[in-house]
């Protein structure tokens, strides 16, 4: 139906990552905790593609309540500390599962060594 991550040439693309889990969102209704989990998943998928979070150049972040942008920003700052990716933040009416409050998409460029390995 879809891929969580794709490598195409020297680029990688990640589907939207969120905190969804069988028993409900990781972090419950706490948007900061959900964002931490979403960024953790982004990091893991980025590394599975052969890159690091420093190789991410674009983020798209979807929030069900724009008032939570500071919470998401705090979670984001634990992942990115320098040379931040370009970023878009959008409020949406709902996400794919009940209780989810944040979703993060990412894309970037693979390091030369990773491109050679693919």
């Amino acid at each position: 139906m879809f891929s969580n991550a794709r490598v195409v040439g020297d680029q990688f693309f990640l589907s939207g990552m969120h905190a969804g889990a069988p028993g409900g969102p990781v972090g419950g209704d706490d948007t900061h905790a959900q964002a931490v989990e979403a960024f953790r998943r982004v990091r893991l998928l980025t590394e599975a593609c052969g890159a690091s979070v420093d190789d991410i150049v674009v983020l798209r972040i979807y929030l069900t309540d724009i008032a939570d942008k500071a919470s998401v920003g705090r979670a984001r700052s634990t992942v990115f500390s320098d040379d931040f990716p370009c970023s878009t933040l959008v409020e949406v009416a709902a996400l794919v599962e009940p209780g989810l409050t944040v979703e993060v998409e990412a894309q970037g460029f693979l390091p030369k060594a990773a491109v050679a390995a693919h």
Side-chain angles (χ1 to χ4, degrees), residues 54 79-85:
D54 293 335
V79 177
F80 304 98
S81 58
D82 193 23
D83 204 14
F84 296 103

Side-chain angles (χ1 to χ4, degrees), residues 4-6 10-15 17 38-61 75-76 78-88 104-111:
N4 283 324
R6 293 277 313 265
D10 64 348
Q11 296 184 62
F12 63 93
F13 302 84
L14 306 184
S15 294
M17 293 292 107
F39 282 114
R40 184 187 75 80
R41 294 175 184 188
V42 164
R43 178 188 302 272
L44 290 173
L45 283 171
T46 298
E47 291 170 355
C49 290
S52 75
V53 293
D54 293 335
D55 299 310
I56 294 173
V57 296
V58 176
L59 290 173
R60 283 175 289 283
I61 303 170
R76 184 178 182 264
T78 66
V79 177
F80 304 98
S81 58
D82 193 23
D83 204 14
F84 296 103
C86 298
S87 188
T88 299
V104 181
E105 277 183 76
Q107 67 187 77
F109 288 90
L110 296 173

